[in-house]
Amino acid sequence: VFSSFDTAVTIGGPVAKDKLWFFGSYRRTGGNDDITALDTNAFLRTVENRQNQGYVKGTWRPTDLDNLSFTFLNDPTDISGRLERDITNAQNRSRVQGGNRWSANYSRVFGNALLEVAGTKHDGEVSDLAVIRLPSNTIKYRQTDVRTLADEQRGGFGTDAEDIRSTRGVSGTLQWLWKSHTFKGGAEFMRYGRFLNSTTVGGAVYT
């Protein structure tokens, strides 16, 4: 069984004539999936997927030669479990993902030259968290033994895995027109960071 929904709203327009504009939008999407076991077809869980997407942009033109814009985006997503049918509720884990992105751009005209400067910041996450807060307990069987997936997968998933990423950057370009020629130059600096952390639930993993 599957169900979904999608709703959105947008708004925008000028704030001050020929000086200031803005645009914003918000979108919320979601879906529910009923998952059954691969071996027995027994109902396992309903997985919920909820996403919130936001976007805001503002542009300011203080003079005829200057232009400044600012943009914000985010996409936080919460997924309550896994869709795989060979993962029982014991091994189920939820996911938290998405993050915020900010950027700013400034440009100015100097006669025949155009200067552009930009900065950006982005924080994102893709983390998996055990739904059942018990140690993992996996049972190994001989190939000839009769068993189900639930017999093999006991306890909980046993691990919380955090994956958080960040990006910071600045850039600048200069363009100069001379007669029928165009000269361009620029520079960019980016710094990337990543935080990884794995925590064992219950202090042990059993096999």
Side-chain angles (χ1 to χ4, degrees):
V1 180
F2 171 81
S3 64
S4 65
F5 69 87
D6 190 331
T7 183
V9 60
T10 61
I11 186 172
V15 178
K17 184 178 180 180
D18 297 331
K19 291 292 183 182
L20 184 62
W21 304 264
F22 88 100
F23 177 83
S25 68
Y26 171 77
R27 182 186 182 201
R28 180 174 174 83
T29 66
N32 295 333
D33 292 272
D34 290 341
I35 308 301
T36 59
L38 184 62
D39 53 354
T40 64
N41 283 322
F43 174 77
L44 292 175
R45 57 187 172 271
T46 298
V47 176
E48 299 180 356
N49 186 317
R50 298 290 181 266
Q51 301 183 38
N52 296 281
Q53 302 169 3
Y55 175 81
V56 177
K57 182 174 182 179
T59 303
W60 180 39
R61 189 183 181 194
T63 71
D64 292 340
L65 303 178
D66 299 274
N67 191 80
L68 178 65
S69 65
F70 172 82
T71 305
F72 168 77
L73 303 95
N74 73 344
D75 59 345
T77 301
D78 293 303
I79 305 173
S80 66
R82 304 292 297 186
L83 298 176
E84 293 87 342
R85 296 180 62 201
D86 59 347
I87 296 177
T88 69
N89 290 340
Q91 296 289 316
N92 192 28
R93 53 268 196 193
S94 62
R95 170 163 288 186
V96 178
Q97 67 183 44
N100 299 327
R101 181 181 180 91
W102 310 77
S103 65
N105 299 79
Y106 171 75
S107 63
R108 180 175 174 82
V109 177
F110 298 90
N112 292 333
L114 172 63
L115 173 68
E116 294 181 306
V117 180
T120 183
K121 174 184 177 183
H122 184 207
D123 295 303
E125 178 178 8
V126 181
S127 297
D128 291 325
L129 308 174
V131 173
I132 297 178
R133 311 302 293 175
L134 294 173
S136 174
N137 187 8
T138 304
I139 311 298
K140 300 295 185 181
Y141 291 84
R142 294 174 298 184
Q143 290 186 349
T144 56
D145 290 338
V146 178
R147 77 277 191 184
T148 65
L149 289 171
D151 294 328
E152 297 176 345
Q153 302 174 22
R154 310 287 185 93
F157 181 59
T159 303
D160 289 338
E162 298 175 275
D163 187 347
I164 301 174
R165 309 164 191 182
S166 64
T167 303
R168 307 287 186 269
V170 293
S171 62
T173 61
L174 181 63
Q175 178 176 303
W176 180 45
L177 300 179
W178 180 70
K179 294 183 179 181
S180 59
H181 304 280
T182 301
F183 300 90
K184 295 182 180 180
E188 181 181 57
F189 173 80
M190 301 293 291
R191 172 172 289 177
Y192 302 94
R194 191 176 185 186
F195 172 78
L196 297 173
N197 185 49
S198 181
T199 303
T200 302
V201 178
V205 174
Y206 301 101
T207 301

